[in-house]
Amino acid sequence: MTFSLSKFDLRDGCLALGGLMLAACADGISGPAAQADLNLNYEKITLENGLDVVFHIDRSDPVVAINLAAHVGSARETEGNTGFAHLFEHLLFLDSENLGYGGLDEMNTRIGGEGTNGFTTYDMTQYFQAVPKDALEKVIWAEADKLGWFINTVSQDVIDKEKQVVKNEKRQRVDNQPYGHWNYIANKTLYPSDHPYSWTVIGSLADLEAASLQETKDFYARWYVPSNVTVSITGDFDMAEAKAWVEKYFGEIPAGDQEIEPYAPRASNLTETTSLYYEDNFATVPLLLIAYPTVEQYHPDSYALDVLSEYLTEGKRAPLNEVLIDEAKVTSDVSSFQSNKEIAGELYFFVSPNDGEDIDGLMAPLADGFARFEETGIPQAALDRIKTQSEVSFYEEVQSALGKAIQLSEYNLFTDNPGFYKKDLEGLQSVTTDDVMRVYNKYIKDQPRLYLSIVPKGETELKLDETYPAQLAEIVEEKVVPGAETEKEFDPAARIIANPTTSAFDRSIEPEFGAAYDLTAPDVWRKTLDNGLEVYGITSNETPLVNFSLKLDAGRIRSSVDQPAIAGLTADLLQKGTVNKTTAEMEEAIGALGSTITVRAGDYGTFVSGTTLSRNLDATLDLAKEMLFEPRWDAEEFALLKDKRIQEISQAEGDPNSIARREAALLAFPSDHVFSHAGYGPKDLLEAVTLDDLKAFHAAHYDLSRAQFRVVGAVEPETDFGLDTPQDSSDVPPVSPPKLNSVTSAEIYLYDVPGAKQSVLRIARPSLAATDPDYPLAEAINFPLGGIYTSKLNTQLRVDKGYTYGIRSTFNGDKDIGQFQVGSSVRTNVTKESIALIRDILASYGPDFTQEELDTMKGALLRGQALKSETNADKLGLLGQISAYGYAPDFRAQNAKAINAMTLDDFKALAEKYIRPDAMTYLVVGDAATQTAPLSELGLGDPIMLETK
């Protein structure tokens, strides 16, 4: 299980920017030659009102991005007013005087963006969007309207309504998750009550409920002033035009009349080791958290601490892994991360004992693991490897215009220097082996720390008790009472702005699009090698990176219902050494190149994927081939791997979202098909798999003659990838296409999670395969329904009703089958109302859709093509679709033509045919004690109770 300090909000729950969300780019670029390759040329100006604006031109794609970063996060709140910075972030998206209520999101959708987004941390709040290049003036106008023409649109009704969304976010991310309260307890323990890091970013529900209009106005006047904000604009634009637009739209915003003093570093005042515990309603396996106070971001010691954190727990030779996993065998996973914030930091370790064991059994091996490090320190080769791998990481983070915009804003916000990335990278490169040992002795060895034992409900005997007896921690558990939260009524059409904010020109007029641009599709090349391997490639020299993916016909579909884990375990074990290299030696060889190689089994294939610098491609592919075709088949590694996967299954048994995935698979597929098992399947079937089973599966299905190799980056069509080795084709018959269970009526199923704060909804029916001619049209009609933030489902359930933090619908098609799916997590006490509303929206969607909505949908989808192929990962995804489904290289252009030709009658016919609320399975994972009776009132019959596991 992976832990991190969450960034709230990321409104739809995802942002593909790698590790970019860390306050500083802890990873750097190795060596002077590598640093010379990277130069984020920028120009910074400061307007008279104090606003910093950073420009970076990147003409690789017809895309522009804008990021507005405010130097305010939860650390600028006060005790009793926690969660306000994050609530304010939500509010700022909603309205402004000239855009109108919901206007920002509506405009972004209409002009071809992929949604506006943002996040709040302890120390900053960021708002961003990427759009086609001809819409730059529009987004500058819109972001300026948010900053300067927002506050008059806010009322107490608006605040009260958005509180429900924020509370749903807290329930989804914290209260309804295993181990969700760890961050709250750690902050309370590590910092005194008057320290700005003593509360979490999301805050408390009680404080959120008390948020008032006057507090909102005061917060805006104090922190959302130009001198406390950085705007970054990146992508393909004309510098003179952009500067003129920035001056026009941002220049007349008042500077603000309060001096903002920077916060001085203030470390934790923890003076003695503290041991606490709490009982978790969703945990099935205990967890031990250990937290050490460290230093603030950019502190000279922060870089060595980053290295220390990675070295102690990442890889086969990591001291804690060696001792706890391989030797003592008391756990299957140890993780850590270093969190450097603006004025303080912490280093966290997470480890769970094996299922059924207590936390006391971890303590002696933990001590031995730290002692191992004290004896050996970090080898120079390991330090060099960490530095080298960071080169690729940083290149990946700045591939997109949006990634660059966020990075430049962040550095300027905290250091007043957008180019600080160079010093930040140098900080890591300057770390020595002595530095790593020095920070260990200074911040870890014999230092005060927090031990937090998180144990399943009713199993307090599993907590830490012998060395540091744990005391009960105080947490606040919300009680969700049926009917307790009434809907907050707000009619945006009725709002009246009594005193509009003045301007020197009419800001209500949205700017026109800029000059037209040419959208060039990536040039896809293809060849077939003598051994039958199909190669698909796109040459892209924007960065010195290459991304590749080899798909083998060895997916889960080649497994049996009695052995659902066999494909996954085979892929996993191939990463555990070769005939000539141990696991550790292989990890070191890959890391020395700055490369990554992963082997993962999906439903229809096993994927060998990697990222490397182009200069190291040959060596990286040699290692990948060695992993694939010279496996070590190490019995001890196999036993450890099985233990790890079994532990993960045990942990997932208490997670409502994991339960929903498992039960949805059982409902969707016949019981005799492997796809009726999610992931690795149940523990008993996994335990029965033998090493000989994996060898047989590998011999039958790891065959290059039935494989496809996809590659993107600084490569050419004539590049020799070394994959043309002759290979005896295995005599394996084609696999039978899977079939989904027929769904002819609406039925509702309920899985009981006692005390759940939310109900997880998974609604589905069989639908189109990705190869069906109607599939791109079905994806198109879903876009306004549930494919973007402004969709009908999200607007009504999140924005209008406050039932959920987010909801999506999708046509999810593979080569032979597909489903139409709706998914969300809703507040427990509105489960019935949410399902009823979803059904109403689906039923009326086609009949009520208008020509105006159709025109908007077409414009959004066609203009949005500019954002589809920006990064190497985007291009690799394009090749994946072409190779998996037999699409033509220009299939996106063909789909766009078909979408543009769609009539309103066509739309309505597609919706009637494929969106069928009367014939779907409705799965609810939630509290049966409070939900069984209400769900029976939906007209779907009494809920069918699923067997709890």
Side-chain angles (χ1 to χ4, degrees), residues 248-262:
K248 175 181 179 180
Y249 294 111
F250 282 99
E252 64 178 347
I253 299 174
D257 55 9
Q258 299 183 60
E259 188 72 20
I260 297 177
E261 296 293 335

Side-chain angles (χ1 to χ4, degrees), residues 320-363:
L320 296 184
N321 287 354
E322 277 188 333
V323 176
L324 277 82
I325 298 174
D326 294 345
E327 298 172 13
K329 294 180 171 57
V330 294
T331 185
S332 60
D333 186 58
V334 184
S335 62
S336 65
F337 73 90
Q338 160 77 355
S339 173
N340 297 123
K341 300 185 283 292
E342 187 174 12
I343 64 173
E346 315 90 34
L347 177 56
Y348 294 95
F349 295 91
F350 301 87
V351 57
S352 286
N354 294 323
D355 193 6
E357 300 297 324
D358 61 27
I359 289 175
D360 281 324
L362 299 173
M363 298 304 288

Side-chain angles (χ1 to χ4, degrees), residues 58-80:
D58 174 3
R59 303 207 186 280
S60 57
D61 294 279
V63 173
V64 290
I66 187 167
N67 179 70
L68 188 153
H71 197 167
V72 57
S74 61
R76 270 58 177 178
E77 299 161 354
T78 57
E79 192 175 11

